[in-house]
């Protein structure tokens, strides 16, 4: 038993050993994710997400360990949140690059010349053409499916990909709703797919992502480690 002191091992030495073990785990994770061969756009984030999530879940299931690992648990939660946000941002913008470039450009124009002159610097024809290509009714579902496929490729079968998908969906819906309002305000243009319709597409596309991955793998596998 980890916390047994029947062999003369003191609680202090146990605490020191457990803390050293946790330190080593996070140092190993840092070494792996800092290697030049580790892609910094997504692979680094995936490694942090998977390992921190596994650490949090494991420690949280063992109440007797919480006291010893409290600082490491807090660190893991911060790292997990930051890595998840970075991965989600990269994943969305990779698939919907044209949409985000368009509205980033519009945001810059608005700051420079104001809303009224936006259509002069970004003609309506260009605006509509980009939106049709990026979020048209026949396109958005395919793009959501591509995001899911890429996530399934990046994460291990035992990862809680459903949680990542839900967070991604929330970010995308928030951005999409804001862009939709700007399109109406600046160009009197309505998105072909409403925010609520996109919400339904994301729900249908996501489904139970984690369960699907486990079925494809033919059973449970151990989580990826550093």
């Amino acid at each position: 038993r980890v916390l047994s002191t029947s062999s003369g091992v003191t609680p202090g030495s146990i605490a020191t050993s457990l803390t050293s073990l946790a330190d080593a785990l996070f140092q190993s994770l840092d070494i792996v994710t800092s290697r030049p061969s580790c892609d910094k756009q997504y692979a680094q984030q995936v490694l942090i997400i998977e390992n921190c999530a596994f650490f949090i879940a494991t420690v949280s299931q063992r109440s007797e360990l919480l006291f010893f690992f409290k600082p490491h648990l807090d660190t893991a939660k911060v790292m997990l949140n930051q890595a998840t946000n970075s991965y989600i941002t990269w994943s969305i913008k990779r698939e919907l690059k044209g949409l985000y470039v368009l509205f980033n450009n519009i945001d810059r124009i608005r700051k420079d010349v104001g809303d009224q002159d936006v259509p002069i610097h970004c003609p309506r024809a260009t605006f509509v053409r980009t939106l049709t290509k990026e979020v048209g009714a026949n396109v958005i579902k395919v793009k959501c499916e591509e995001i899911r496929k890429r996530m399934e490729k990046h994460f291990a079968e035992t990862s809680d990909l459903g949680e990542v998908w839900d967070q991604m969906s929330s970010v995308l819906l928030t951005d999409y709703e804001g862009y939709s309002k700007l399109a109406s305000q600046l160009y009197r243009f309505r998105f072909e797919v409403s925010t609520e319709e996109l919400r339904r597409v994301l729900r249908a596309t996501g489904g139970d992502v984690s369960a699907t991955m486990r079925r494809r793998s033919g059973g449970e596998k151990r989580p990826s480690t550093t």
Side-chain angles (χ1 to χ4, degrees):
R1 292 177 180 273
V2 174
L3 301 183
S4 174
T5 58
S6 59
S7 300
V9 180
T10 66
S13 63
I14 292 174
T16 300
S17 297
L18 291 176
T19 299
S20 298
L21 175 62
D23 287 341
L25 288 171
F26 281 93
Q27 289 169 5
S28 176
L29 179 59
D30 181 62
I31 290 172
V32 171
T33 56
S34 298
R35 289 173 179 167
S37 59
C38 181
D39 185 282
K40 301 302 184 290
Q41 286 189 305
Y42 72 90
Q44 182 184 62
Q45 314 309 326
V46 171
L47 282 168
I48 293 173
I49 291 170
E50 291 192 323
N51 284 277
C52 286
F54 181 70
F55 178 82
I56 292 169
T58 301
V59 173
S60 297
Q61 291 170 5
R62 301 284 299 274
S63 58
E64 71 272 24
L65 298 179
L66 292 176
F67 173 79
F68 298 100
F69 289 139
K70 179 64 166 59
H72 299 91
L73 199 59
D74 291 340
T75 297
K77 289 177 180 179
V78 172
M79 291 174 63
L80 175 61
N81 184 60
Q82 292 176 342
T84 301
N85 290 337
S86 295
Y87 178 81
I88 285 172
T89 299
W90 171 83
S91 186
I92 294 174
K93 291 186 177 181
R94 186 185 190 286
E95 197 60 44
L96 295 165
K97 181 178 180 180
L99 178 69
Y100 280 83
V101 169
L102 173 66
F103 279 95
N104 284 340
N105 184 45
I106 287 175
D107 185 55
R108 178 184 57 77
I109 295 171
R110 293 176 71 201
K111 291 177 181 178
D112 290 343
V113 300
D115 289 5
Q116 187 173 352
D117 290 339
V118 169
I120 297 175
H121 297 270
C122 181
R124 179 184 174 86
T126 301
F127 181 80
V128 173
R129 183 169 60 250
T130 301
L131 287 181
T132 301
K133 178 182 177 182
E134 290 292 310
V135 293
N138 297 325
V139 179
I140 191 65
K141 186 175 186 296
V142 174
K143 288 183 176 290
C144 289
E145 289 173 347
E146 287 302 314
I147 293 175
R148 170 178 168 152
K149 290 177 183 177
R150 191 173 296 110
M151 285 185 176
E152 290 176 350
K153 178 180 178 181
H154 290 163
F155 287 87
E157 290 81 0
T158 48
S159 298
D160 187 6
L161 189 51
E163 177 64 25
V164 179
W165 179 265
D166 288 344
Q167 291 186 47
M168 184 283 299
S169 297
S170 178
V171 171
L172 177 55
L173 286 166
T174 298
D175 290 346
Y176 190 86
E177 184 175 29
Y179 293 159
S180 179
K181 290 179 179 178
L182 268 180
S184 177
Q185 174 186 330
L186 299 174
Y187 293 91
R188 307 287 183 185
F189 180 83
R190 178 179 294 180
F191 277 19
E192 189 174 358
V193 177
S194 68
T195 302
E196 190 55 41
E197 288 171 331
L198 177 58
R199 190 188 311 277
R200 289 195 289 269
V201 168
L202 288 166
R203 285 175 178 170
T205 304
D208 191 342
V209 186
S210 298
T212 299
M213 291 177 70
R214 288 193 291 273
R215 286 196 298 271
R216 289 181 179 179
S217 72
E220 296 286 345
K221 294 183 179 179
R222 69 180 180 83
S224 61
T225 64
T226 56

